[in-house]
Structure formats: structure tokens, C-alpha cells
Amino acid sequence: QVQLVESGGGLVQPGGSLRLSCAVSGFTVSGFVPDVYAIGWFRQAPGMSREVVSCLASTDGDTYYPDSVKGRFTISRDNAKNTVYLQMNNLKPEDTAVYYCALRPRGAWCSNHGMDYWGKGTMVTVSS
């Protein structure tokens, strides 16, 4: 069974940095071939809709970031640990949310309601 476990959330001041980790088991994400998949990070604040903040496609290594986080967030992989990371720099109060890691095997890109596996989330709080 595929499992995703997030970690690294916490309390940080505006302008600070955090690095979230997504440990994946039951599926290999440490290479672009032969597996085809999309993996990414989503976030959701109370009373708000869920939104994608980063996506990585295995076919060509392309990444996606919405304008709200572009230039501040970076997604990456550690092949040896089968782990995906989200480096978050220059954090803002509006970044406060629960952050989820999600996987779509045999998918080309990330979709808000099209991901097959989800982690339980890790809370990020940016104080002001």
C-alpha cells in the first residue's frame, strides 16, 4: 500500500524558512523512468479551498508553482531516501495552512481532485 508521511511543519516568523519532507513508501519516486507519475504539495487553510503550491512531473522533471509562491518555494527529490521536499523561503502570514503531499501514479500532472494518494498533512503557521 502506498503511504505518504509529511513532516517539518511548525511555527515560523514572517520572512523565515521551513523545509517540508514527504517520505513515500510503496512507490518509487527517486527516478523519472520507468515509473510515470506526478507528485506535489497542496495546502488548505481553515474555511479556504485547497490549492496546489508545487508539482513535479516524472516524465521530464518539469515543475509548477503558482504566482503566489513562485520564487519562494522549491520542490526537490532525494533519490536515496525516496523523499520529496518543499523548501519554503521568505514565508508570509498568508502561507499559514495545512500542507499535504499527494501522488498520482501514471498521471502527467497534479490535479486538485485527481490525486490518488494523500498524506495526513503538516501544519505551517507563519506568525505576525
Side-chain angles (χ1 to χ4, degrees):
Q1 182 69 32
V2 176
Q3 290 187 342
L4 291 76
V5 180
E6 304 97 333
S7 62
L11 175 64
V12 64
Q13 294 182 344
S17 299
L18 283 175
R19 191 186 194 190
L20 306 182
S21 299
C22 175
V24 180
S25 61
F27 190 88
T28 300
V29 299
S30 58
F32 296 109
V33 293
D35 293 332
V36 177
Y37 65 90
I39 192 166
W41 291 89
F42 297 75
R43 69 184 182 187
Q44 186 171 24
M48 304 294 291
S49 61
R50 185 174 60 202
E51 62 176 341
V52 62
V53 295
S54 184
C55 185
L56 173 65
S58 68
T59 53
D60 53 11
D62 281 349
T63 57
Y64 164 81
Y65 308 93
D67 290 340
S68 59
V69 307
K70 189 174 297 183
R72 301 187 298 117
F73 289 12
T74 304
I75 189 171
S76 62
R77 296 180 300 128
D78 187 319
N79 294 337
K81 297 181 179 180
N82 205 42
T83 299
V84 175
Y85 302 96
L86 183 67
Q87 179 67 45
M88 304 184 295
N89 298 324
N90 192 25
L91 284 163
K92 305 175 181 180
E94 51 263 44
D95 295 321
T96 297
V98 178
Y99 284 73
Y100 300 91
C101 181
L103 172 68
R104 190 180 194 177
R106 296 169 293 180
W109 205 244
C110 299
S111 176
N112 194 19
H113 299 286
M115 312 305 286
D116 297 299
Y117 302 98
W118 293 83
K120 294 182 178 180
T122 184
M123 183 69 196
V124 173
T125 302
V126 184
S127 67
S128 59

